[in-house]
Structure formats: structure tokens, C-alpha cells
Amino acid sequence: MKASWTTRTLLYIVLTICAALVLYPVMYTFFMAIMSPEDASAYPPHIIPQSVDLSSFAEVFEIVPIGSFIGNTFLVSGVTMLGQLVTASMAAYAFAKMQFRGKNIMFSLFVATMMIPWEVTMIPNYLTVRSWGWLDSYQGLTVPFLATAFGTFLLRQFFMQLPKELFEAARIDGCGHVRYFISHVLPLSRPALGTLAIYSFLNMYNSYLWPLLVTNTPEMRTAQIGISMLEFQESTSWNLVFAGTALVILPSLLLLIFGLKQLVRGMAAGALKG
């Protein structure tokens, strides 16, 4: 039955209100970033800016090396993303296309690790990184996250949707597992690989606790920790804090906006095969 004009109007109004409630924290961050110090500290607080003052962004660069922090974050997130793509795609291919004893049990154990909260493994990971002398280094920031059970599960579900006839035709032409994986599986799996790339990059980009644990010097700090350096014990200029936050979230926000369609498509495709 076709919905009436009134029903559709009410639905759009409700959806618009819900979208505004979700987006307002992000919009408020940018509003605060362009407020003057007087407007930002006014009580009651202003919901929208009364004037536009862009000097906060320049002050953020003078107070903390935010450019270096963002560069570190991009480097760590990029290395982690590439590592997860390599390890997860190879493991997913083995679970989806190869036959070996104990495969199902091993995959079940692999998937079961997703149920373990990250906080449980944080201390063992920290002790391992410290014993290897990797504190305050890029190895300590990236190596513990180069493998992911979620990525393996996501890619395995996608690989299982590839037709068996394609693999059989490739075998007739003398194609082995390695060549089939590189020449056929990876090009056909670009939606799933793109989804995993966006997810892993954003997940690592927004990481706070692990970089705080394993880094000690400003040269190795990431952007999320750099924002906390804008808060001072005597007083806090909220326009500076929000200007730093706006600078940090802008790259990830753009990546999410341009990659959202790819992210949703890959998630939906990976959920079709059990």
C-alpha cells in the first residue's frame, strides 16, 4: 500500500530531526572552532557562532606540533591498514578456498577471538612490546594491529561468493593458488578490500589509549593525544581545543564521507554468505 503524503512528510520530519541530533556534535565542534575566545567561554553557551574568528587554527599550530601529530597518525593508520589487508586477505583465502584438516575448528577459534574485549589483551600486548624494546616506536604502534579476525571474517565471506567454476577454469589453465589469489580473487574483491581498508584506517586513526600507553615523546605522539595537550591546568581555551579537534577529525570525516558508499556495500556483500 502506498504511503500517504502526510505519512511521508511526518517520516521525513522525524528522519531530519534524528539526522540533526546525530550531526550536531560534529557541527558544534566546527562552530566552536571559529568562535572568538569570548564567545566560546560565554555562559549560557552560544549554539551558533556570533562572529567568525579563524585565528584559533593558527594558535593551535603554534602551541602544539599538530601537523606532526596528524602525520604520525596517518603513517600509523596507513601501515596498519596495509598490514591488515595483506594478512586478512591471505588468511581469508585459505579459509574460503583451500582444504586442510581442522579448517572449520581453526576458523571457529579465529572468529571467537572477536568476542574477547581489546582491554583484556592490552596489558599482555604492552608487556610484550616493552620486552622487545618497542616502546615509543612505530613498531610498537603498528605491529600488534597488523592482523585482524574481523577483517579475515569479512573477506572470507566475500571470497566464498566467488563462483567455483572460475577457480576450476583457472586450474585447467594451470593456475595455482598463489596466481589465482593474485590474478583473480584480489581484483574481484575490491569492494570488500576497500571496506576493510576504510574500516581499519578509521579505527586506527581514532585510537587513543594504545598510543598513550606506548609513546612517551612528542615526536611519536598521535593526533588524538595531541588534542589533550591543548588543555591547560590553569585554564582551558575551548575554542583552541575545538579548533584542534576540527583539524584532527577533518581528514577522517572526509574519508568517511567519500568512502561511506563503499563501506556499506562491502559490509552488505560480506553478510550474504554464511
Side-chain angles (χ1 to χ4, degrees):
M1 188 174 65
K2 225 173 160 183
S4 65
W5 183 86
T6 307
T7 305
R8 279 184 295 166
T9 303
L10 287 175
L11 179 63
Y12 285 130
I13 291 174
V14 171
L15 290 176
T16 303
I17 293 173
C18 292
L21 290 174
V22 172
L23 290 176
Y24 185 71
V26 179
M27 294 169 59
Y28 187 69
T29 299
F30 287 98
F31 287 163
M32 285 287 286
I34 61 175
M35 285 185 188
S36 64
E38 295 75 19
D39 288 343
S41 57
Y43 186 84
H46 298 300
I47 298 178
I48 58 175
Q50 305 298 307
S51 59
V52 176
D53 183 3
L54 300 179
S55 62
S56 302
F57 294 100
E59 286 186 52
V60 169
F61 280 96
E62 292 174 1
I63 295 173
V64 295
I66 193 72
S68 173
F69 293 157
I70 294 176
N72 278 342
T73 311
F74 264 94
L75 179 62
V76 171
S77 303
V79 170
T80 304
M81 178 190 71
L82 292 176
Q84 290 191 4
L85 285 175
V86 172
T87 58
S89 61
M90 295 175 71
Y93 179 83
F95 284 126
K97 297 295 181 183
M98 299 179 73
Q99 300 299 325
F100 53 90
R101 184 177 298 178
K103 185 177 79 170
N104 293 331
I105 297 176
M106 194 178 297
F107 180 70
S108 299
L109 292 174
F110 213 82
V111 173
T113 60
M114 290 195 297
M115 308 298 172
I116 302 174
W118 179 79
E119 287 78 7
V120 175
T121 61
M122 181 175 60
I123 298 302
N125 281 337
Y126 174 78
L127 295 176
T128 304
V129 166
R130 190 183 66 176
S131 66
W132 289 351
W134 284 0
L135 289 180
D136 212 32
S137 69
Y138 289 115
Q139 300 96 303
L141 284 168
T142 57
V143 170
F145 303 97
L146 293 184
T148 165
F150 170 75
T152 304
F153 175 74
L154 176 71
L155 294 182
R156 183 250 189 192
Q157 301 303 100
F158 193 89
F159 291 169
M160 290 183 69
Q161 298 179 53
L162 299 178
K164 293 179 181 177
E165 292 78 9
L166 180 64
F167 179 65
E168 291 170 357
R171 290 298 298 269
I172 292 174
D173 288 340
C175 199
H177 279 295
V178 175
R179 188 177 167 191
Y180 177 69
F181 173 67
I182 296 174
S183 304
H184 297 79
V185 174
L186 291 183
L188 292 172
S189 305
R190 279 178 296 192
L193 293 171
T195 300
L196 177 61
I198 295 170
Y199 175 81
S200 61
F201 187 92
L202 291 178
N203 197 34
M204 198 64 201
Y205 191 89
N206 293 317
S207 177
Y208 175 79
L209 189 54
W210 182 254
L212 183 65
L213 275 176
V214 300
T215 60
N216 299 311
T217 59
E219 290 76 16
M220 295 302 302
R221 293 292 196 186
T222 57
Q224 308 299 334
I225 303 173
I227 295 174
S228 63
M229 294 182 180
L230 295 171
E231 296 183 43
F232 305 105
Q233 191 171 4
E234 296 81 13
S235 64
T236 299
S237 298
W238 291 110
N239 59 320
L240 293 181
V241 175
F242 280 95
T245 305
L247 289 171
V248 169
I249 67 173
L250 190 59
S252 60
L253 198 60
L254 292 175
L255 182 63
L256 181 63
I257 291 172
F258 289 110
L260 184 60
K261 187 176 180 181
Q262 181 70 51
L263 188 66
V264 174
R265 185 187 301 169
M267 289 284 189
L272 294 178
K273 187 85 173 180

